[in-house]
Amino acid sequence: MTGGAIIVTATFGDGDNGWLQDLRRSHYPPERNRVPAHLTLLRQLPPSVEGELATRLARFAAARPPAVWVTAIMDLGEGTALRVESDDLTRIQGELAEAFHGVLTPQDLARWQPHVTIQNKVAGREARALQQQLRGTFQPRPLAIRALAAWRYRDGPWEPIRSWPFRR
């Protein structure tokens, strides 16, 4: 099936996927939780770049997985996220943004702030309460990245296009 904007994400390794999905299921409003926890690199590419995107993602995935860390709890105003830091992913995201510069939306042209959203569209006080709770036990930790993935936006849910696992 064609059509629909393309979203590019990094997917989590088995050891980290579970706890991130659990956090999102526990704290994201159920009626809005249509996609799994994810780390977005680009939010909205046109379907016309799918072939070139596949070639670029395959090239990145031919390397070893990026070194990635969860470093802090982020306040999203009406939500909560885990801040992610990675020179490797920043380079990948930057190269993708440069390659597709002419078709990026303003949101994808803005400075990239990698994170995993675990709560969104809640009252500010509910978000702050979760942030306080999480900060009580938070420790920075490595985050395993398994693959790069492309998804087609389908007015809510995402349809997987393909995943490119990193070389192990």
Side-chain angles (χ1 to χ4, degrees), residues 78-92:
E78 295 182 330
T80 302
L82 302 174
R83 182 182 315 283
V84 173
E85 293 184 19
S86 171
D87 291 342
D88 297 333
L89 274 183
T90 298
R91 180 186 53 78
I92 291 169

Side-chain angles (χ1 to χ4, degrees), residues 9-157:
T9 69
T11 61
F12 311 117
D14 292 339
D16 287 321
N17 191 45
W19 70 270
L20 291 168
Q21 300 308 334
D22 286 347
L23 274 175
R24 187 170 170 108
R25 271 191 302 274
S26 296
H27 302 291
Y28 211 98
E31 67 280 3
R32 295 182 174 275
N33 195 10
R34 297 180 181 174
V35 300
H38 56 279
L39 198 167
T40 304
L41 288 107
L42 292 171
R43 291 174 178 83
Q44 189 175 348
L45 290 173
S48 61
V49 304
E50 187 173 337
E52 181 182 352
L53 176 65
T55 299
R56 290 180 183 279
L57 294 178
R59 182 174 50 87
F60 290 127
R64 297 194 54 77
V68 180
W69 282 81
V70 175
T71 60
I73 307 300
M74 283 178 71
D75 181 351
L76 300 178
E78 295 182 330
T80 302
L82 302 174
R83 182 182 315 283
V84 173
E85 293 184 19
S86 171
D87 291 342
D88 297 333
L89 274 183
T90 298
R91 180 186 53 78
I92 291 169
Q93 193 278 341
E95 288 185 28
L96 288 171
E98 184 177 319
F100 297 112
H101 182 81
V103 297
L104 296 182
T105 63
Q107 192 174 20
D108 281 333
L109 285 169
R111 186 176 148 265
W112 187 54
Q113 296 182 338
H115 63 279
V116 179
T117 303
I118 57 170
Q119 178 192 54
N120 205 5
K121 309 258 193 280
V122 299
R125 73 174 146 21
E126 184 179 344
R128 287 187 298 279
L130 176 59
Q131 292 156 26
Q132 183 176 0
Q133 173 192 339
L134 292 174
R135 285 185 182 117
T137 59
F138 180 80
Q139 294 284 323
R141 62 182 284 174
L143 179 63
I145 299 296
R146 180 180 60 82
L148 298 171
W151 309 81
R152 193 163 320 281
Y153 179 74
R154 294 290 183 209
D155 196 27

